[in-house]
Amino acid sequence: MSVTEKSEIAAAPQRESASARPRWQVMLIRPELMTFVLLIIALIVASSLSPYFLDIAYILDSFTLSAELAMVALVLTIMIIAGEIDLSPASGMALAACTFAYAQQAGVPIPLAVGVGLLTGLAMGLLNGILVIRFQLPSIIVTIGTLIFYRGLAQVIAGDQSIRVPEWFIGINRVLVFGIPVPVLVFVILSVVLGFVLSSTIYGRQIYLIGTNPIAARHAGIRANRIKMSLFLLIGITASIAGMMTASRLGSVRYDIALGGELQMVLMAMLGGTYIFGGRGSILGTFLAAWLLVIVSTGMIVANILPAMQLCVLGVLLIISIIATNFIYSRTQR
Amino acid sequence: MNTISKIFLRREAGIFVMIVLFCLAVGAFKPQFLTLQSLRIVLLLVPLILIGAMGQMLVLVARHVDLSIGSTLGFSAMVVGMMFKYYPEIWWPLGFLVAIGVGAGLGLFNGFLITLFRLPAIIVTLGTLNLYRGLTYIISNAKQIDRQYVPSELKAMSQTSPIFGIPWIIFMIIAIALLTYWFAMHTRVGRQIFALGSNPVAAQLRGINVSKITLLVFALSGALAGLAGIMYASRWGFVNPSNTGSGFEFQVIAAVVIGGVSINGGVGTVLGTVLGVLLLGCVSSALPLLGIPGTTQNAIYGAVIIIALLIDRGVRQRAIKTISAKA
């Protein structure tokens, strides 16, 4: 008896010392750090290609091109942390933009038309949410289905033509507040708000628990379904706002707005160190990844790299980033 | 339970009835839909989707999904097209070998990433979907392979027929469907795919080599997409770096889930998939006849996928109820 007790006492500190890691390692070896280092490297490489990259105004201006996708990617990050995924918001952006443009073309006043767009976003999130939560279908396949469905509806509404939006509505990307284009400002504010909610509220911590261990979350009395539904609604609304912002930036609406945008959204989340199997990740990571991606893609344009090559680079980046993230998480303790 | 009611309870019967009802309904408005001519149109519409669907069925049965088949199709078609363009004297059936080989290689690459790094198939194939499409642009220099470079014998496969006016391509897809049936139902490896999909943990405990089977289904899916690539060149006579195969994956996934292949793995039949493809073909060919613009096609595909998922869930729930009632 006493022998076993002794050996247990002797073994316990050993186990602990084997698993405990220096605090600086826990703090530093994180996927966000990888993103940050990559961002710095990208900036150095890009500024050696063209001095424009040292001009903050130029970078901000380039960022307006992907600010809409980046906004949705923030919510997508939370979604993936909660253990679900949504591939449909890029199509959702197109559908919301089309319903908005169609409504205002039909003579509905602009504020009401914006309301129509927002309602569309809400409806899209609701449909996804009902299919995934009420009918318990896997979100991956459901949102592939709705990805095609929403894009198809946008095509039905807009046809093959583009719908003009009124002159004064155009150009949200050229409106500057404190020298920052409005879409970038919206993105930054959204990042701060979502980052705060995710890291410092009960709601946010519950999201992590749902993604880490759904059964434990249920035993802890967390209403996982309600939280997931709120996330689906949130991503629907964000997609509709992003869609209308795209409409304002482009000046006209076509059904193929943000076509293939789901790749960039997932890529931003993955590059930012979101764990694809849920439970880990941060808004900060996605925030940094969005800037990284903008610098990489703008850099490729400046370096005169073929658009096709850029497609390859995005695809390869996606695969590498999820391999790297998985590797880092497998090395660090949970 | 007697044989007749067993037949009617099967999922395939439901799809078959849906096809018949749909055709009759369309025929009531447009009698010309119920002629041999429109059957020919349907049959010529579906071969590519059917080839892709056979591979996707196996992937879904193994509880994965392959989004990259459209780009795999495009890349293989482009490789073959360039081979015909720069080496016109080459023996043309060699193109089949090349296309299938290239496709299988791309599929294996997916499989390697998925098994080696334990990544979810959906993200990997979303990445390779774009990677392969980009590579297609790069090798082709973004130029189309025009009609004159595609060998006329190859093009003839989709038009000339050995018997009854049925083109070669139809015989080919029938052969592929039969082969897949034999492979999936009557070989050890085929059954292992089903075992893996219905319960991955149990499959591993039973001594099934999960990595090998996963690699195999992705290689097969890629190889079939490659075959679909050369058949695209045969059917349409050109290969375009951006159009060829784009959106193919969605048509195929739609057809496969309509055909009753469960997204939760382990469930799926060749007959169901074939019927699913035919239903999709009937719908696509009826739309222009009914005067519904082509722009609605994607919305219909999407809606059809969602409805099929809901039906699949209903069927599964009922199956669980019957099993627990018996026990």
Side-chain angles (χ1 to χ4, degrees), chain A residues 69 87-98 120 124 143-154 239 243 255 257-262 265, chain B residues 250:
Chain A
L69 292 175
L87 294 174
S88 70
S91 302
M93 283 169 64
L95 179 54
C98 283
T120 313
M124 291 184 298
T143 54
I144 290 180
T146 51
L147 169 134
I148 309 167
F149 184 55
Y150 297 157
R151 181 75 64 188
L153 283 183
Y255 78 91
I257 280 181
L259 188 64
E262 56 277 353
M265 293 176 191
Chain B
F250 296 135

Side-chain angles (χ1 to χ4, degrees), chain B:
Chain B
M1 203 186 280
N2 60 31
T3 330
I4 295 177
S5 62
K6 256 185 193 162
I7 290 175
F8 274 104
L9 274 178
R10 286 188 62 118
R11 179 68 183 275
E12 289 82 0
I15 311 165
F16 185 73
V17 169
M18 266 160 78
I19 296 179
V20 171
L21 285 181
F22 179 80
C23 289
L24 288 178
V26 177
F29 289 102
K30 299 274 171 187
Q32 67 264 40
F33 189 68
L34 297 176
T35 58
L36 274 178
Q37 180 56 34
S38 75
L39 178 69
R40 194 184 150 85
I41 294 174
V42 172
L43 284 182
L44 278 178
L45 214 75
V46 297
L48 298 182
I49 302 181
L50 192 114
I51 296 172
M54 289 295 127
Q56 191 71 261
M57 182 194 91
L58 295 176
V59 175
L60 279 181
V61 164
R63 231 187 246 197
H64 288 289
V65 65
D66 189 349
L67 291 182
S68 72
I69 51 172
S71 302
T72 306
L73 185 158
F75 187 80
S76 328
M78 187 50 81
V79 170
V80 172
M82 290 178 59
M83 185 182 86
F84 288 142
K85 184 173 176 181
Y86 295 110
Y87 304 99
E89 69 283 355
I90 215 159
W91 188 52
W92 69 272
L94 210 62
F96 280 93
L97 267 185
V98 173
I100 294 173
V102 169
L106 298 184
L108 265 180
F109 182 65
N110 288 335
F112 266 122
L113 289 173
I114 290 159
T115 52
L116 204 63
F117 298 103
R118 297 173 190 279
L119 304 176
I122 183 124
I123 304 290
V124 170
T125 53
L126 181 65
T128 52
L129 158 83
N130 291 273
L131 173 63
Y132 298 162
R133 179 63 60 190
L135 287 178
T136 311
Y137 279 107
I138 291 172
I139 60 163
S140 65
N141 236 335
K143 285 196 184 71
Q144 176 172 318
I145 303 290
D146 290 321
R147 272 196 86 79
Q148 70 263 28
Y149 298 116
V150 179
S152 46
E153 295 94 333
L154 182 61
K155 281 185 280 193
M157 277 192 71
S158 304
Q159 284 135 20
T160 60
S161 87
I163 189 166
F164 301 137
I166 303 169
W168 280 106
I169 193 170
I170 304 293
F171 287 106
M172 202 176 105
I173 58 169
I174 293 172
I176 286 171
L178 289 177
L179 262 178
T180 316
Y181 174 76
W182 171 79
F183 172 71
M185 306 307 273
H186 294 285
T187 65
R188 177 185 292 265
V189 178
R191 300 316 297 166
Q192 285 181 345
I193 298 176
F194 282 80
L196 169 63
S198 30
N199 192 336
V201 180
Q204 192 149 25
L205 293 177
R206 287 276 313 201
I208 293 173
N209 188 337
V210 173
S211 309
K212 201 182 84 184
I213 299 289
T214 312
L215 276 179
L216 180 76
V217 290
F218 277 97
L220 278 176
S221 164
L224 286 166
L227 179 64
I230 188 164
M231 292 323 287
Y232 184 99
S234 160
R235 175 80 181 81
W236 305 106
F238 67 90
V239 182
N240 183 292
S242 68
N243 289 344
T244 299
S246 92
F248 182 64
E249 58 277 1
F250 296 135
Q251 295 175 5
V252 166
I253 290 173
V256 172
V257 294
I258 297 168
V261 179
S262 170
I263 39 173
N264 294 307
V267 179
T269 62
V270 170
L271 180 63
T273 308
V274 170
L275 289 171
V277 172
L278 282 179
L279 180 57
L280 205 66
C282 286
V283 173
S284 311
S285 61
L287 289 182
L289 209 60
L290 292 170
I292 298 169
T295 46
T296 55
Q297 202 162 34
N298 281 327
I300 289 172
Y301 282 153
V304 152
I305 290 183
I306 297 167
I307 293 167
L309 289 177
L310 289 174
I311 292 175
D312 181 53
R313 180 187 139 80
V315 170
R316 213 168 55 234
Q317 294 267 312
R318 188 175 298 174
I320 292 169
K321 262 187 201 154
T322 19
I323 290 167
S324 50
K326 272 180 193 163

Side-chain angles (χ1 to χ4, degrees), chain A residues 32-67:
Chain A
E32 290 90 347
L33 183 78
M34 169 188 87
T35 317
F36 187 68
V37 171
L38 283 177
L39 180 61
I40 301 293
I41 294 174
L43 255 180
I44 294 171
V45 173
S47 54
S48 73
L49 281 172
S50 148
Y52 282 118
F53 279 98
L54 295 175
D55 181 6
I56 188 79
Y58 179 74
I59 294 180
L60 286 177
D61 194 43
S62 324
F63 195 84
T64 55
L65 297 180
S66 15

Side-chain angles (χ1 to χ4, degrees), chain A residues 1-15:
Chain A
M1 204 52 198
S2 64
V3 176
T4 49
E5 252 173 36
K6 250 182 207 163
S7 71
E8 260 175 27
I9 292 165
Q14 258 180 2
R15 263 210 305 272

